[in-house]
Amino acid sequence: MKTTAEDYLAQASLLRLLGVLALVTAPHIARLPVWTSIVVIAIGVWRAVAALRQWPLPPQWLKVLFVLAAFIGISVSYGRVSGQHAGSALLIVMLALKLTEMRSRRDVLVVVSLCYFTMLTHFLFSQEMWTALYLFGCAIAVTAMLIEANHAGGALPWHVTLRLGASLVAQALPLMVLLFVLFPRVPGPLWGLPSDSGAARSGISDTMSPGDIASLIQSDEIAFRVQFLSEPPPMRERYWRGPVLSYFDGRRWSAPFRGDNYFALVNPGTRLNAYVVPEVEVSGDPVRYEVTLEPNRQNWLFALDLPAKDALPPNTQLTGYYQLLSRELAKDQIRYQALSYPHYRLEPQLDEQWQRSAERLPKDSNPRTVALAKAWRAQGLDDDQVIARALTMFRQEEFFYTLEPPAVGRDPVDGFLFDTKRGFCEHYSSAFTVLMRAAGIPARVVVGYQGGERNDAGDYYVVRQSDAHAWSEVWLHDRGWVRVDPTAAVAPSRVENGISAAIAPAELPGFLRREKAGFWYWRVRASVAWDMVNVAWDRWVMGFNNQKQLELLGRFGLGDWQNMVLALTLSLTLVAGAMGVLLLRRMRPAVPADPALRLWRAATRVLAAKGFPQPRTEGPRDYVQRVAQAEPSLAPALRRLLSAYLSARYLDEHPREAEVELAAALKALKAWSVFPRGRETRA
Amino acid sequence: MTFRLFLRNLLHPLRWAQGKIDQWVLARVKRQPGPIPVPRTRVYILPTRFGYAFIVLVFVMVLAAMNYSNSMAFALAFLMAGLWLLAMNHTHANLVNIEVRAGQVAPVFAGEVAHFEVNVANAAPRTRYSVSVSWPRAPVVQSADLAPDHVAALKLPLAAARRGWLPAKVFAVSTEFPLGLFHAWTWLELDMTCLVYPRPAAVGRSPPPARGTGGQLTGDRPGLDEFAGLRNYQRGDTARSIHWKSFPKLRAPMVKQFQETLDREFWLDWNELPDLDGEARLSQLTRWVLEAEGRHLSYGLRLPGTRITPSRGATHQHACLKALALHDA
């Protein structure tokens, strides 16, 4: 279709459109590869300057070239063109490229549709609370843009379109809430999720090298929240078991089975099957709790030492290392209940092969440590004594617990134990485990979290990445795998009161320093309150899936989808209809302020119904004369009306009385119109 | 021919249905002198192409939200669905209760474009944006914003092919504001007609000399009839020709000048053009009327059945052109 002169976009509208585009693409820029961000911003700037300086738009062949280049670039950066990351990057690049050929109003409609879709892709990455505000802000801006695109002629002032957009979005809110609650949530996925959907990988990993845990301390992100359904254990017993690392290469500890999906590696034939759950004897009262795990894109779930075999969350499995694994990656927030026994005997009888694998050390690595352990054995110390000897060494010699230890050389354990004597929990646990293995005691490293802070307002515990911890497990005859935390020897306050009590404030990141006043104090207070709001948001809005919906609506008798759809249609019709009626009332002609004029208009409406409307060109006196001539029986009433009206409207004196008289005259007229007395006398 | 029509109707059933609906609806629009109020019952509303595309987009977004089980994505899709529903109400309310009146329409010559002026009045206390007028099934001609209690004049062009009265047929007043998702319109027919003068013939031919008073058409010539201004005194002028009234003021004698008014009045006659047919004669007479008026001459018109005495001026010109336009040959 040809574009007429009125179709061309005004310069002011174009610049506003670029502003709206910047707002919509801003959160994506952080996620895009660098070249994409640069290209998008460059195109935006170029288009703005082209509009101001009247540069021509690029020719057709160049645009096709750009599109091809975009496809190639995206597939090179991401390895594919579909999926969550690559797809949304491609969408943004296409949006930017649309600018190169946008010149008429119709193109703005295409851009607006792409903007709405880009907003959708953002929500696939992040659904925090601020995204709700972002949603409304962008919706208002994009709607204002749409309003402007549909206004032929010059551009409206920006505050007019913005106000109209905001009022439209505000009016659409009740409809949105109705749809949100009542629209049946078909449980997804419908056609399968791309493999790169969901949250990114974060938190503890299944390897540990010196410095790994210390780097996690810098993050105040929440790992998970716990609500205890029975008596919460004291802090020193809150060890959250994560990956169990049993393979040491001299520097790095790693889990014996690697891979994205542990379940893919089940090998039932071997005796070293990782999924034969060992024997365990438990005693004492169990602790019951519910964990809400933030998405970390890993398979392992965190449970308190030691989770009960028969009360596992659904779709999970225990490994031979007594680690809790889920069948699916945690791409979204998940909530699970579990049961743990703090007093246990894990695997009192250890299989030969397991024992050997738990004593293995690489040759020629950390020789001094091995020599030390061998020396202890040569002194005739048994297992318990070796353990006590090691812990005493940590406690009494000049060992320091610090977040910033000096670097160690090729043999990190040797360097730590003999040279620097400064380290964090990964150094201590690693060194201790190596000592135990060198002394012939089966030992392994467990990483996870320790502690967790109570949120008083909400009565739940928050475990952050800064609570990450590493400790050891040693196997003793008839006692099974026993937890030994060497950090407790060197810095007991870490285990009792959390990391803020154990490390000097100068080394801690700001949010961990227990300050009494100042910025961080208020920030911590605010984050506690904010966390509560976030929890409610996660539970009721973000987590509003079809289960929750059935729960909520079942209470009102709308348990199945047919009833839901019926209720939805009815309520939508009612609300939309009510809004329609209100809108029409708003657009009615304004009631005149002057009561005399109002009454006169009422009189003319009565007469118009009888076939005598007052044309605009006729004044009241001539009008009355004409009607009186046509309908003589009406003449006295009309004359009364006329005189009352003229004196009420045009004469200054006694306006109130004149209005009363006018109202009475109107009433008489209405009476006549209902019971026409004189009509029968006419021939 | 009929086979092609049948084939086309088969391939585009919607168009055929639309054509039939149009015929039915347009036949029922009454021609009124106006002002015509537009109540709720007269306004029709349908989604535009963009409106259909929008709802398909919302549907796709809902599917995507279902697939990813993403609450905020649902929220966005539902917000857009809410906007779509609201747009219907808003676009409808943007058109209801306007009042349409006929405006002025200036006469034109055949072959030119007649502009019918339509006055759209907004009695509501809120501004109505982007109210447009158009002919049926034609793109929008002109849009205007109506401030509260304001009247906007919108012009509808119509090609004037033949001379005579050109009535304005049914036209549409429509709007798509605010979001362009719906198109609300109403059909109206106002009692407006445009007078179309005959197309003037090409310049070149002079009218034949009129019999009776005077000879050829002449230009200005010094004479004795009409006062035409003052000039300086020259030796040889008679004393009687001096303008004494201005002498005290100007201190130099000025002499009155006169122009001849012989041969200014003439007739344009139908019977003077035996070599042309009826329409051509009207065209030529139209041209002569324009030329005569342009030269400030006094002219009369003689047609079979009509006789207009010589005069000058816009009213006289219009009367002559009207007679020429409405002459049935």
Side-chain angles (χ1 to χ4, degrees):
Chain A
M1 233 162 139
K2 277 195 311 191
T3 25
T4 66
E6 282 214 333
D7 276 345
Y8 278 89
L9 205 56
Q11 197 186 73
S13 299
L14 182 67
L15 294 173
R16 280 177 222 167
L17 178 70
L18 289 173
V20 169
L21 274 177
L23 182 68
V24 169
T25 55
H28 291 260
I29 296 283
R31 280 190 286 266
L32 292 174
V34 181
W35 69 267
T36 322
S37 316
I38 292 180
V39 161
V40 165
I41 294 177
I43 294 182
V45 169
W46 166 82
R47 191 70 180 91
V49 177
L52 290 170
R53 299 264 177 99
Q54 308 287 321
W55 288 346
L57 294 179
Q60 188 69 22
W61 62 267
L62 194 61
K63 285 185 250 182
V64 172
L65 202 66
F66 280 153
V67 170
L68 283 174
F71 268 92
I72 294 174
I74 295 281
S75 61
V76 162
S77 287
Y78 287 98
R80 53 198 285 185
V81 192
S82 62
Q84 190 173 315
H85 288 77
S88 52
L90 189 64
L91 180 66
I92 297 202
V93 175
M94 286 298 136
L95 188 58
L97 285 180
K98 181 68 186 157
L99 285 178
T100 59
E101 67 155 358
M102 183 177 70
R103 63 166 69 93
S104 80
R105 254 170 243 291
R106 226 156 287 127
D107 297 322
V108 175
L109 301 180
V110 175
V111 170
V112 159
S113 312
L114 287 177
C115 276
Y116 279 124
F117 216 82
T118 311
M119 283 160 67
L120 182 88
T121 54
H122 174 68
F123 295 131
L124 297 179
F125 291 98
S126 143
Q127 285 193 74
E128 297 148 30
M129 252 195 300
W130 70 269
T131 55
L133 287 172
Y134 173 72
L135 164 69
F136 291 123
C138 278
I140 292 177
V142 175
T143 311
M145 204 58 238
L146 197 54
I147 291 175
E148 208 170 292
N150 282 295
H151 180 255
L156 287 172
W158 62 270
H159 57 89
V160 170
T161 47
L162 215 54
R163 193 159 23 100
L164 270 172
S167 76
L168 272 176
V169 169
Q171 286 167 17
L173 273 183
L175 294 171
M176 178 188 100
V177 170
L178 272 176
L179 280 163
F180 191 83
V181 173
L182 287 173
F183 190 86
R185 297 285 179 99
V186 176
L190 296 175
W191 60 78
L193 297 173
S195 57
D196 64 342
S197 70
R201 194 171 294 214
S202 68
I204 290 180
S205 76
D206 53 1
T207 66
M208 186 181 84
S209 309
D212 277 356
I213 310 274
S215 65
L216 272 177
I217 305 299
Q218 304 299 323
S219 162
D220 71 340
E221 273 181 21
I222 295 184
F224 56 92
R225 298 182 181 87
V226 191
Q227 197 164 25
F228 284 101
L229 305 169
S230 63
E231 185 68 35
M235 181 139 174
R236 63 171 173 281
E237 283 179 32
R238 295 207 290 264
Y239 280 86
W240 302 94
R241 197 182 180 84
V244 178
L245 314 179
S246 184
Y247 178 73
F248 186 55
D249 70 353
R251 181 178 188 83
R252 199 169 72 139
W253 288 92
S254 51
F257 290 92
R258 306 295 315 288
D260 275 327
N261 192 343
Y262 279 52
F263 284 86
L265 299 167
V266 168
N267 198 351
T270 63
R271 291 181 53 191
L272 209 53
N273 183 359
Y275 297 99
V276 173
V277 183
E279 292 290 319
V280 63
E281 290 162 21
V282 296
S283 61
D285 292 325
V287 179
R288 209 182 290 269
Y289 50 93
E290 185 184 71
V291 174
T292 309
L293 180 67
E294 292 293 308
N296 58 7
R297 217 186 181 84
Q298 312 280 21
N299 277 104
W300 42 83
L301 301 181
F302 298 103
L304 213 47
D305 256 348
L306 200 73
K309 245 194 283 200
D310 46 2
L312 292 181
N315 232 6
T316 60
Q317 184 160 345
L318 282 174
T319 69
Y321 296 88
Y322 229 85
Q323 185 188 346
L324 189 59
L325 289 184
S326 155
R327 285 186 197 280
E328 286 159 3
L329 290 179
K331 290 191 204 172
D332 294 306
Q333 204 187 55
I334 46 180
R335 192 168 286 133
Y336 56 91
Q337 282 201 12
L339 198 69
S340 289
Y341 287 93
H343 304 289
Y344 57 89
R345 242 175 12 148
L346 175 60
E347 210 166 11
Q349 311 299 326
L350 189 58
D351 187 273
E352 180 77 29
Q353 230 180 340
W354 283 97
Q355 189 168 1
R356 263 187 284 135
S357 83
E359 290 174 11
R360 205 173 288 141
L361 280 179
K363 285 198 185 32
D364 305 325
S365 111
N366 302 304
R368 286 185 279 173
T369 313
V370 173
L372 177 64
K374 289 216 169 22
W376 288 342
R377 277 297 196 199
Q379 288 173 15
L381 300 174
D382 66 4
D383 290 349
D384 288 300
Q385 286 170 328
V386 166
I387 294 174
R389 185 77 181 77
L391 290 177
T392 314
M393 179 181 72
F394 287 136
R395 201 177 298 126
Q396 290 179 343
E397 292 184 32
E398 294 246 336
F399 277 94
F400 292 96
Y401 189 61
T402 170
L403 268 174
E404 293 156 15
V408 290
R410 211 177 61 88
D411 292 317
V413 180
D414 277 354
F416 163 67
L417 271 183
F418 299 105
D419 302 327
T420 66
K421 296 198 202 280
R422 286 172 135 72
F424 199 57
C425 49
E426 62 257 37
H427 300 83
Y428 286 98
S429 58
S430 171
F432 181 79
T433 314
V434 171
L435 275 172
M436 292 302 110
R437 287 196 173 188
I441 305 174
R444 58 197 185 190
V445 172
V446 183
V447 289
Y449 297 90
Q450 200 276 331
E453 196 172 316
R454 183 148 190 269
N455 184 321
D456 290 318
D459 192 28
Y460 57 89
Y461 290 78
V462 174
V463 175
R464 296 177 190 270
Q465 302 295 355
S466 51
D467 291 315
H469 195 51
W471 61 92
S472 308
E473 267 186 344
V474 294
W475 188 83
L476 301 169
H477 281 290
D478 288 332
R479 275 189 282 165
W481 290 98
V482 174
R483 178 177 66 226
V484 179
D485 191 357
T487 313
V490 68
S493 49
R494 160 69 182 95
V495 177
E496 300 280 342
N497 298 319
I499 186 167
S500 317
I503 302 269
E507 288 182 20
L508 285 174
F511 64 92
L512 281 177
R513 292 178 218 154
R514 296 280 166 82
E515 300 190 12
K516 293 297 170 205
F519 169 69
W520 284 108
Y521 172 66
W522 288 110
R523 194 183 175 287
V524 167
R525 291 274 302 260
S527 70
V528 164
W530 184 248
D531 196 63
M532 272 220 52
V533 180
N534 248 322
V535 164
W537 174 262
D538 288 344
R539 195 178 274 265
W540 288 112
V541 177
M542 241 180 72
F544 192 75
N545 57 5
N546 71 320
Q547 274 170 333
K548 274 255 160 31
Q549 188 184 36
L550 285 171
E551 255 178 57
L552 176 69
L553 293 180
R555 271 189 259 163
F556 297 100
L558 299 170
D560 61 353
W561 67 269
Q562 286 104 329
N563 284 342
M564 273 191 230
V565 169
L566 188 65
L568 180 66
T569 324
L570 276 176
S571 50
L572 272 185
T573 317
L574 274 176
V575 174
M579 288 201 168
V581 166
L582 280 175
L583 271 176
L584 282 180
R585 280 169 73 92
R586 233 170 38 165
M587 297 302 251
R588 277 192 313 196
V591 176
D594 187 358
L597 186 56
R598 226 182 301 146
L599 291 165
W600 174 255
R601 289 249 177 99
T604 49
R605 274 201 291 274
V606 170
L607 290 170
K610 293 297 160 192
F612 298 109
Q614 179 189 17
R616 269 173 189 273
T617 46
E618 203 174 39
R621 219 187 275 273
D622 293 332
Y623 172 59
V624 162
Q625 200 169 18
R626 180 168 65 89
V627 178
Q629 238 172 359
E631 198 80 46
S633 61
L634 200 47
L638 281 176
R639 262 188 274 280
R640 183 173 168 215
L641 183 77
L642 178 70
S643 62
Y645 171 61
L646 290 178
S647 65
R649 186 143 160 84
Y650 298 110
L651 296 179
D652 267 338
E653 35 197 79
H654 316 299
R656 196 54 49 80
E657 296 169 8
E659 278 168 29
V660 169
E661 168 65 19
L662 180 58
L666 175 63
K667 215 184 277 188
L669 186 69
K670 280 192 185 158
W672 174 87
S673 75
V674 176
F675 302 107
R677 276 190 300 267
R679 282 211 153 178
E680 297 89 66
T681 61
R682 283 179 69 204
Chain B
M1 182 61 180
T2 37
F3 176 69
R4 278 180 62 191
L5 206 69
F6 170 73
L7 199 66
R8 197 156 52 121
N9 283 338
L10 199 70
L11 291 175
H12 301 277
L14 273 182
R15 259 196 242 165
W16 173 83
Q18 183 135 72
K20 284 270 173 267
I21 293 175
D22 274 352
Q23 272 180 355
W24 187 85
V25 169
L26 293 182
R28 270 160 184 68
V29 179
K30 283 194 304 207
R31 190 179 177 91
Q32 289 172 296
I36 309 181
V38 177
R40 210 169 15 100
T41 50
R42 262 187 104 134
V43 176
Y44 311 106
I45 186 161
L46 274 182
T48 57
R49 275 210 304 235
F50 178 58
Y52 288 121
F54 194 83
I55 206 67
V56 168
L57 178 70
V58 168
F59 184 63
V60 169
M61 285 166 78
V62 167
L63 284 182
M66 267 192 220
N67 191 47
Y68 287 88
S69 295
N70 194 311
S71 281
M72 293 305 293
F74 273 119
L76 174 63
F78 292 147
L79 185 67
M80 287 170 65
L83 279 176
W84 193 83
L85 284 173
L86 266 188
M88 181 161 53
N89 286 330
H90 277 267
T91 310
H92 183 73
N94 202 33
L95 201 63
V96 169
N97 283 331
I98 55 169
E99 199 180 60
V100 181
R101 304 198 271 271
Q104 302 170 338
V105 51
V108 294
F109 291 95
E112 288 181 357
V113 176
H115 291 274
F116 291 98
E117 189 182 270
V118 173
N119 291 328
V120 183
N122 174 22
R126 308 186 76 87
T127 316
R128 297 177 196 266
Y129 293 99
S130 288
V131 179
S132 355
V133 292
S134 62
W135 297 111
R137 303 286 153 236
V140 160
V141 171
Q142 197 182 1
S143 301
D145 295 342
L146 307 174
D149 287 327
H150 266 63
V151 182
L154 297 163
K155 286 197 169 28
L156 277 166
L158 189 62
R162 286 196 319 256
R163 63 175 179 96
W165 287 113
L166 178 69
K169 292 281 178 212
V170 179
F171 63 94
V173 178
S174 61
T175 182
E176 286 182 8
F177 198 81
L179 295 178
L181 297 170
F182 286 90
H183 182 80
W185 75 98
T186 175
W187 298 116
L188 300 164
E189 191 173 358
L190 285 171
D191 201 0
M192 294 188 291
T193 16
C194 179
L195 180 63
V196 182
Y197 303 142
R199 185 199 304 263
V203 179
R205 187 165 165 165
S206 292
R211 291 185 203 103
T213 57
Q216 306 267 353
L217 271 176
T218 53
D220 301 337
R221 232 180 28 179
L224 291 169
D225 296 342
E226 196 176 291
F227 177 64
L230 298 173
R231 66 166 168 84
N232 285 323
Y233 174 79
Q234 283 173 343
R235 224 149 54 101
D237 291 321
T238 59
R240 220 155 44 104
S241 61
I242 293 179
H243 190 243
W244 294 112
K245 274 217 181 103
S246 62
F247 184 64
K249 238 190 288 181
L250 299 174
R251 306 266 178 166
M254 306 292 275
V255 165
K256 290 180 269 193
Q257 266 190 309
F258 291 93
Q259 243 180 340
E260 185 153 311
T261 56
L262 281 177
D263 300 325
R264 277 173 38 247
E265 188 180 282
F266 65 101
W267 286 91
L268 299 169
D269 204 331
W270 169 270
N271 301 314
E272 300 287 327
L273 299 162
D275 55 320
L276 300 171
D277 67 346
E279 291 301 322
R281 286 195 211 194
L282 292 171
S283 290
Q284 188 60 64
L285 288 169
T286 312
R287 171 57 65 190
W288 284 337
V289 165
L290 293 174
E291 281 181 352
E293 187 61 38
R295 290 192 201 162
H296 306 296
L297 303 172
S298 184
Y299 53 95
L301 187 64
R302 246 192 240 119
L303 293 174
T306 319
R307 187 176 178 278
I308 302 181
T309 51
S311 176
R312 287 191 324 169
T315 325
H316 177 72
Q317 181 189 26
H318 174 71
C320 293
L321 290 174
K322 183 167 174 179
L324 285 167
L326 299 177
H327 182 260
D328 31 295

